[in-house]
Amino acid sequence: MGSTWQGKSALASDGGLESLRRASHTLGNALAAMGGHRLFHSMRASRQTELQREFPLQVVCSWLGNSQRIAQQSYLLVTEDDFAKAAGVQKVMVEGHASG
């Protein structure tokens, strides 16, 4: 747990992108050691996909510290919204749940 705390301290002290990457990798390593590698991968893939909708791929990859090739092979997801858009279906909120 000490390495997780150090990553958090480094992030707070300089606030730079490299510190964020180190903290992210430290958290990922800690999760992997506890058997949570798939959880971390899923969370990273979701965030990569969300950011990709707003920003160019090279920018998102720079922020997350992976290559465009790795992002395309491992992290970018096809979502329900993608299918709905392709089918021309508009999602409607019904009592807090989306239905299409």
Side-chain angles (χ1 to χ4, degrees):
M1 284 306 229
S3 62
T4 303
W5 178 253
Q6 289 172 355
K8 187 174 181 181
S9 297
L11 179 61
S13 66
D14 75 12
L17 185 57
E18 190 58 37
S19 293
L20 180 60
R21 272 195 203 121
R22 280 194 306 272
S24 172
H25 288 289
T26 299
L27 176 60
N29 291 338
L31 280 171
M34 297 184 309
H37 182 263
R38 288 303 310 165
L39 172 64
F40 182 74
H41 184 275
S42 294
M43 290 173 19
R44 184 180 177 102
S46 294
R47 191 61 185 145
Q48 176 99 33
T49 301
E50 292 168 355
L51 288 170
Q52 181 59 43
R53 294 189 186 286
E54 300 288 326
F55 302 98
L57 181 61
Q58 76 275 8
V59 172
V60 175
C61 289
S62 175
W63 289 341
L64 297 180
N66 58 1
S67 70
Q68 292 180 35
R69 183 179 63 83
I70 294 298
Q72 291 169 334
Q73 288 177 344
S74 303
Y75 294 119
L76 294 177
L77 306 171
V78 177
T79 66
E80 288 182 30
D81 290 339
D82 295 324
F83 285 110
K85 184 177 178 181
V89 175
Q90 189 172 28
K91 284 192 163 191
V92 178
M93 294 298 285
V94 178
E95 295 185 34
H97 300 321
S99 63

